[in-house]
Amino acid sequence: MKEYFPNIDIVNYEGYASSNPLSFKFYNSSEKVGDKTMAEHLRFAISYWHTLCGTGLDPFGNQTLMRPWNDVSEPMAAAEEKLFAAFEFFQKIGAEYYCFHDRDMAPEGKTLAESHDNLEKICKMALQLQKDSGVKLLWGTANLFSHPRYMCGAATNPDPKVFAVAGAQVKKMLEVTLMLGGENYVFWGGREGYESLLNTDMKREQEHFANFLHMALDYAKEIGFTGQFLIEPKPKEPTKHQYDYDVATVIGFLKTYDLIDQFKINIEANHATLAGHNFQHELALASAHGLLGSVDANRGDLLLGWDTDQFPTDIYDCVAAMGVILNQDGLAPGGLNFDAKVRRTSTDLADLFYAHIGGMDCFALALKVAHAIKTDGVMDAHIKNRYSRYDSGVGAKIENGNTSLVELERFALANDAPKPVSAQQEKLENIINQYLVKVIKSL
Ligand code: XLS
Ligand code: CA
Ligand code: CA
């Protein structure tokens, strides 16, 4: 087997003072933070599509990232080489998980049957490589957006023939995810939406999409796939409006179509900002509803405003994210998937390592800071205290649904007018910086 990264050894933890750019400064997989190791808390996964398939292509320019595993012209031979490169990368970077779409791993054939065969062949090889390396599959998904047949959607396509092909792709991908021991299965509907309402029956499209998800659940049950089903919101791009706009919209959709008990949500940082929210908002809302299942860890660029899928390096964002994750006692069976790509100007193979090291280090440091804040309980105490007036008296009656507008009017008339109580935002913001320094000084 050819070595694709011959100049790069397994990346080790060397601490923040190391001058070796190919070492972890903060991520020490076996180090305990509370009662779990960093690896158990963070459950890092590598995205096959960006790291192995990314070419640097953009709407204005051609390929800039020339990968040696793509130097093979026969598509199935190229898929095999890419697979070997993938597992070499996963092991050298020390990620326990990976995620992929069917078409990342194996090429589409001339017919659906040939596509199925291609996928099965490569996935059998992947299973062997998983066994040899110990690397596991976090989630599988079907690419229902690249092929021209999906230009008007997959499960929301006005043509049922397209719906059927999409169903066949998901059926096969569920079988393959089961074979590979995948812990989750993701639906991201990049083309499930519309470009114009002049030609769109929104209600019918949403009903079709819900039926599609129900069929997937039924089939998973039939074949014995017990992994977690996830839906990934994104407001737009490639489609102008996508039905799974954001967490709030997805909750409404899942409730309307009786899917709420079988699905959780996979939240991507860059999709949150595209929807006009921040990462923490989407995580906190999903978590509050018991629906935070997994995370696509990346970041956008607020000056560009599109889905740039950059590696996460913003410590404040990651501290906020880890705070929500720790509060719900982790993400398992979900994880932190780096749905992130190097810039098209980062053309070295080593850049793939620098990028992942940066993301893993950022989350490791954020884990420590968020854990220290949680252990001290200052933030939690502030929030608890802020709402404590609902613990008794009229507050408790409101909370339990035991009062009425008539009683509240009586209460309001009999009592003094409410006095302003400071929300102390700045004081809390300072605490984050204080803990950041505290943790850094303890390293
Ligand atoms: C694209 C999405 C996609 C999903 C998986 O923007 O993030 O990569 O995560 O289909
Ligand atoms: Ca994603
Ligand atoms: Ca994205």
Side-chain angles (χ1 to χ4, degrees), residues 49 139 232 266 268 271 296 337 339:
W49 52 101
W139 50 261
E232 180 179 328
N266 182 40
E268 180 175 319
H271 298 180
D296 273 4
N337 168 44
D339 191 352

Side-chain angles (χ1 to χ4, degrees), residues 103-219:
R103 303 297 177 247
D104 307 333
M105 186 91 99
E108 183 128 10
K110 285 191 199 70
T111 61
L112 179 63
E114 196 181 309
S115 301
H116 279 359
D117 286 350
N118 289 350
L119 183 64
E120 216 162 276
K121 186 162 176 246
I122 300 292
C123 286
K124 279 190 180 139
M125 294 174 67
L127 182 61
Q128 190 55 50
L129 289 166
Q130 282 186 201
K131 284 184 183 150
D132 296 345
S133 63
V135 175
K136 293 171 280 188
L137 178 61
L138 186 69
W139 50 261
T141 189
N143 178 331
L144 305 179
F145 43 89
S146 295
H147 193 281
R149 80 171 75 84
Y150 296 127
M151 69 178 186
C152 299
T156 60
N157 197 294
D159 182 352
K161 277 188 163 173
V162 177
F163 186 111
V165 180
Q169 241 183 277
V170 168
K171 175 179 175 286
K172 174 54 73 184
M173 198 48 209
L174 279 168
E175 292 163 12
V176 160
T177 303
L178 172 68
M179 175 182 82
L180 294 172
E183 297 183 25
N184 304 265
Y185 189 89
V186 165
F187 285 89
W188 169 65
R191 302 215 188 257
E192 311 295 21
Y194 62 81
E195 297 298 333
S196 167
L197 284 177
L198 293 174
N199 57 19
T200 303
D201 186 332
M202 253 206 282
K203 181 139 194 291
R204 267 181 108 167
E205 290 204 355
Q206 287 187 301
E207 283 167 3
H208 295 170
F209 187 41
N211 287 350
F212 189 75
L213 297 179
H214 275 288
M215 284 183 239
L217 287 170
D218 290 346
Y219 189 64

Side-chain angles (χ1 to χ4, degrees), residues 312-387:
T313 51
D314 183 320
I315 186 74
Y316 291 105
D317 245 14
C318 296
V319 168
M322 286 315 302
V324 178
I325 293 168
L326 289 177
N327 271 340
Q328 66 158 40
D329 204 24
L331 284 174
L336 291 173
N337 168 44
F338 289 113
D339 191 352
K341 58 187 178 200
V342 293
R343 300 304 85 194
R344 69 195 297 270
T345 48
S346 300
T347 49
D348 292 343
L349 286 178
D351 292 318
L352 287 175
F353 284 85
Y354 301 142
H356 285 86
I357 288 170
M360 290 160 90
D361 270 340
C362 187
F363 267 96
L365 182 57
L367 164 65
K368 285 193 160 179
V369 177
H371 187 266
I373 292 172
K374 188 176 160 53
T375 308
D376 265 16
V378 250
M379 295 287 192
D380 289 345
H382 180 88
I383 293 184
K384 197 163 181 278
N385 183 47
R386 194 164 181 231
Y387 293 88

